[in-house]
Amino acid sequence: MAGKIDAHLADLGITLPAATAPVANYVPYVVSGNLVHISGQITMENGELKFVGKLGKDYQVEDGQKAARLCALNLVAQLKSAIGDLDKVTRVVKLNAFVNSDPAFTDQPKVVNGASDTMVEIFGDAGKHARSAVGVASLPLGVAVEIDGIFEIAN
């Protein structure tokens, strides 16, 4: 039986991707007390890498926002895998976002809005969160964006 968040996702026309397996020596999530820590999610869609390259060189802000949205959907997919029912989410606590950036690119916060807006779209006020938006020289597999997150759940 689908919960309220699942029904909301359907109303929004959002289909969550399958949660992906880790590509190195780590776990996709850790549940500690009422917090779920989700490992960094990249721009993987249907088993394919998307948005490989640098912001400010290969991509502009609008493409970066799409990449960040894809990372956010992968975070929610991992979260659902971790807890089963997204209705248990009481708060998106924090997102840490890394943007593969050309040295002159300084719009990382605008890029990461693609993920932040997605969290609010899915979870409403509970989706409002603290965050970091950091420009980096490179990311795994050359992707444009990677995001990890912390979520609070009801016990």
Side-chain angles (χ1 to χ4, degrees):
M1 182 178 201
K4 290 179 184 178
I5 297 295
D6 287 329
H8 183 57
L9 287 168
D11 289 344
L12 293 170
I14 296 173
T15 301
L16 291 178
T20 58
V23 296
N25 187 17
Y26 64 92
V27 295
Y29 58 83
V30 170
V31 179
S32 180
N34 67 337
L35 294 178
V36 183
H37 297 258
I38 307 289
S39 294
Q41 299 297 302
I42 60 174
T43 54
M44 186 74 73
E45 183 176 49
N46 299 322
E48 237 182 272
L49 282 177
K50 303 287 185 179
F51 302 100
V52 175
K54 290 189 176 289
L55 271 293
K57 178 182 175 193
D58 305 303
Y59 299 108
Q60 297 308 312
V61 170
E62 296 76 19
D63 293 317
Q65 289 170 336
K66 291 175 187 172
R69 178 179 176 84
L70 180 54
C71 292
L73 294 175
N74 285 324
L75 280 167
V76 176
Q78 287 290 358
L79 182 60
K80 184 168 184 164
S81 176
I83 64 173
D85 180 1
L86 291 172
D87 288 352
K88 293 179 184 177
V89 175
T90 57
R91 184 81 189 199
V92 179
V93 177
K94 183 159 190 208
L95 299 181
N96 294 302
F98 306 92
V99 180
N100 188 354
S101 303
D102 181 79
F105 186 79
T106 59
D107 283 333
Q108 291 85 0
K110 290 179 184 175
V111 167
V112 180
N113 281 344
S116 294
D117 293 347
T118 301
M119 291 301 172
V120 173
E121 182 182 17
I122 293 171
F123 296 108
D125 283 344
K128 294 179 181 176
H129 52 273
R131 77 170 198 201
S132 298
V134 180
V136 296
S138 67
L139 285 170
L141 306 174
V143 297
V145 181
E146 178 177 1
I147 304 175
D148 66 57
I150 303 170
F151 300 81
E152 182 181 57
I153 57 172
N155 289 335

